[in-house]
Amino acid sequence: MGTTQLEAAPEPKYWHLRTVLSEALDSEFSVGEILPNERDLAARFGVARATLRQALEQLELEGRLQRRRGVGTTVAPPRVGVAVASTDEDRPGASADAWQVVDSALDAAPAAVAGMLGVRAGESVHVLRRRRVSHGQTVAAELLYVPAASVPGLTAIDAPSGPARGRAVLRELQRQGLDGQDRAVELGSVRAEDAKELDRLPGAPVLVVTTRYFSKGTTAAVAVATYRADTCRLTFGDTPSVEIHHTPESHAS
Amino acid sequence: MGTTQLEAAPEPKYWHLRTVLSEALDSEFSVGEILPNERDLAARFGVARATLRQALEQLELEGRLQRRRGVGTTVAPPRVGVAVASTDEDRPGASADAWQVVDSALDAAPAAVAGMLGVRAGESVHVLRRRRVSHGQTVAAELLYVPAASVPGLTAIDAPSGPARGRAVLRELQRQGLDGQDRAVELGSVRAEDAKELDRLPGAPVLVVTTRYFSKGTTAAVAVATYRADTCRLTFGDTPSVEIHHTPESHAS
């Protein structure tokens, strides 16, 4: 496959079907409803199963359909806006922080992260596993990497790992003071370790947000967060007074 | 399919294959190299074609592989960082604006956009089609919606449409002064109209950035931009002095 298909007409069959299906979703189905099986759908629209699947995949990418473990394909609710950057809540450990520490350990950072942090490859750093819950659902899983040098005042308590240790690392990071951050957003796929927590299959599309936190001119911490791409819109606002992404109306796209 | 597969083991076969393939890409292939065809690859790794395809799709989502019209599947170069929000360059029409006006017309905005702009459904607004080029490649296509009320000083020149008219709308919008913006980033699929410009097939995954521009307490304009998800990382920085997303080093992920 591949090449043959890639050279096809500018408006392929599956794209047309996607539009027809999208209209059917609007007029005949309600949120949460389970779609008929693929065989019945393909017969109804007079297309091959492969074409149908491509159209369904498109609608899944667009957040119109959801495939859920043990349920099948359902009509998705509108995506929920999740604030990624605004005022204070994006500083790890700040009071408005929307993240929960799940676990913490000392471990080597991946090469790319070690590079951003300016530590040697293989050098142990604090690795905090965090989760973000919104509207009762886990919307993101994160690994936050904090080199020992960023938290010099961390007291040597007994436990070298665990959530309590993670919270202590965050408090100390917060105490050091952060002067800013920058972010990159890109498309990725769910790692096997995060799949269960996010209720997705390994490899499902996600939005990967990499944040660098700066303190005193150096990169004090790096977070790599994986947001569910099917249910979330990431919102970025520099005008908090007019942000409305927490009101129900803005959740409809 | 669907349900059966969704209930499978936590580490499915395609996920394992993705990891093995990813290592093969690192050790045996270089950027731009064309992969062997699917039959040969499936035979080499001892898997079914369907499993192979799933693994290839994963690696495409992650930006490791690229499927290109008439070429096939190639090893992708590292994604390029594209600045979405920083200082002034995100104000439409500002001197550092990275967008080119391709066309302009008066047209009705989609219902969701009309709602954000506070105009009646079906009411004509200025619709500017813009493109963003980075490193010699079109990385994004955008529709910018500007209601007549946002550009009151726009002079009635002869042409009601076209790129020159679009630039006049931007100049007037800029003259009115913008006080801020907010953004949402979500996963989407390429519309048929944008597919050719972005050199992708209709329906390919993209990052959709919706920006609301505020002026005097109202939403003066709304932009819906479609970024290639395969080649771009979107960068957001509030600390321009330490941003390094335009240097080559940061392009590697």
Side-chain angles (χ1 to χ4, degrees):
Chain A
M1 60 154 253
T3 350
T4 328
Q5 187 187 79
L6 289 162
E7 286 165 344
E11 177 124 24
K13 202 177 273 186
Y14 64 83
W15 183 258
H16 177 69
L17 177 62
R18 171 215 156 269
T19 309
V20 173
L21 268 174
S22 179
E23 285 161 9
L25 291 181
D26 285 336
S27 58
E28 296 175 37
F29 292 89
S30 48
V31 168
E33 203 171 331
I34 300 172
L35 286 201
N37 67 45
E38 292 189 358
R39 196 178 39 211
D40 292 353
L41 279 176
R44 168 170 165 188
F45 292 102
V47 297
R49 292 272 292 265
T51 306
L52 177 74
R53 264 179 221 159
Q54 279 185 289
L56 293 177
E57 274 165 24
Q58 237 94 72
L59 291 168
E60 198 185 353
L61 280 183
E62 292 166 37
R64 299 294 313 276
L65 293 177
Q66 230 169 340
R67 284 197 290 175
R68 292 190 297 176
R69 291 167 187 271
V71 176
T73 302
T74 57
V75 180
R79 282 174 174 158
V80 171
V82 178
V84 169
S86 67
T87 60
D88 272 338
E89 57 187 59
D90 47 353
R91 308 199 156 202
S95 57
D97 194 351
W99 295 87
Q100 302 163 359
V101 179
V102 178
D103 205 357
S104 161
L106 280 167
D107 206 348
V113 173
M116 286 189 266
L117 289 170
V119 302
R120 292 189 317 276
E123 181 178 328
S124 277
V125 300
H126 298 283
V127 182
L128 279 64
R129 174 180 289 276
R130 304 201 297 168
R131 89 157 68 89
R132 183 165 176 178
V133 176
S134 178
H135 301 75
Q137 185 192 61
T138 300
V139 293
E142 183 197 69
L143 292 175
L144 177 66
Y145 300 91
V146 186
S150 299
V151 285
L154 191 67
T155 49
I157 57 167
D158 289 336
S161 61
R165 181 62 164 175
R167 287 190 291 273
V169 170
L170 287 180
R171 276 193 303 274
E172 176 59 14
L173 187 64
Q174 197 61 17
R175 204 177 65 79
Q176 292 296 311
L178 294 170
D179 359 278
Q181 60 273 321
D182 68 11
R183 283 187 179 71
V185 180
E186 63 189 308
L187 183 62
S189 66
V190 187
R191 301 181 316 143
E193 304 89 288
D194 296 327
K196 201 179 164 199
E197 172 122 65
L198 294 175
D199 191 23
R200 307 245 55 202
L201 280 176
V206 286
L207 297 169
V208 179
V209 181
T210 304
T211 306
R212 299 188 299 174
Y213 295 97
F214 304 109
S215 180
K216 301 166 187 124
T218 68
T219 301
V222 168
V224 181
T226 298
Y227 285 82
R228 285 184 65 152
D230 56 337
T231 55
C232 297
R233 277 186 312 124
L234 309 184
T235 67
F236 296 80
D238 64 5
T239 50
S241 58
V242 289
E243 266 180 60
I244 57 162
H245 57 251
H246 282 126
T247 66
E249 301 92 280
S250 69
H251 294 164
S253 63
Chain B
M1 58 154 256
T3 350
T4 329
Q5 188 188 77
L6 289 163
E7 287 165 345
E11 177 124 23
K13 203 177 272 186
Y14 65 83
W15 183 258
H16 176 71
L17 177 62
R18 171 215 156 269
T19 309
V20 173
L21 267 173
S22 179
E23 286 162 9
L25 291 181
D26 286 336
S27 58
E28 297 174 37
F29 293 89
S30 49
V31 169
E33 203 172 332
I34 300 172
L35 287 200
N37 67 45
E38 292 190 355
R39 197 178 38 210
D40 292 353
L41 279 176
R44 169 171 165 187
F45 292 103
V47 297
R49 290 274 291 264
T51 305
L52 176 74
R53 264 180 222 157
Q54 280 185 289
L56 293 177
E57 274 165 24
Q58 236 95 72
L59 291 167
E60 197 184 355
L61 280 182
E62 293 167 36
R64 301 293 313 276
L65 293 178
Q66 230 170 342
R67 283 197 291 175
R68 291 189 298 174
R69 293 167 186 272
V71 176
T73 302
T74 56
V75 180
R79 282 176 174 156
V80 171
V82 178
V84 170
S86 67
T87 60
D88 272 337
E89 57 187 57
D90 47 352
R91 307 199 158 200
S95 57
D97 194 351
W99 296 88
Q100 302 164 359
V101 179
V102 178
D103 205 356
S104 160
L106 280 167
D107 206 349
V113 173
M116 287 189 264
L117 289 169
V119 302
R120 292 190 317 277
E123 182 178 327
S124 276
V125 300
H126 298 283
V127 183
L128 279 64
R129 174 180 288 275
R130 305 201 296 169
R131 89 158 69 90
R132 184 164 176 178
V133 176
S134 178
H135 301 75
Q137 185 191 62
T138 299
V139 292
E142 182 197 69
L143 292 175
L144 176 66
Y145 302 92
V146 186
S150 298
V151 285
L154 191 67
T155 50
I157 57 166
D158 288 336
S161 62
R165 182 63 164 175
R167 286 189 291 272
V169 170
L170 287 181
R171 275 194 303 274
E172 177 59 15
L173 187 64
Q174 198 60 20
R175 205 179 64 79
Q176 292 294 312
L178 295 169
D179 354 282
Q181 61 273 321
D182 68 11
R183 282 187 180 72
V185 179
E186 62 190 310
L187 182 62
S189 66
V190 187
R191 302 180 316 143
E193 305 89 288
D194 296 327
K196 201 178 163 200
E197 172 122 66
L198 294 175
D199 191 23
R200 307 245 55 203
L201 280 175
V206 286
L207 297 169
V208 179
V209 180
T210 304
T211 307
R212 301 188 297 174
Y213 295 96
F214 304 110
S215 179
K216 303 167 186 122
T218 68
T219 302
V222 168
V224 181
T226 298
Y227 285 81
R228 286 184 64 152
D230 55 338
T231 55
C232 297
R233 278 187 310 123
L234 309 185
T235 66
F236 296 80
D238 65 3
T239 49
S241 58
V242 287
E243 264 180 61
I244 57 162
H245 56 251
H246 282 127
T247 66
E249 300 92 281
S250 70
H251 293 165
S253 62

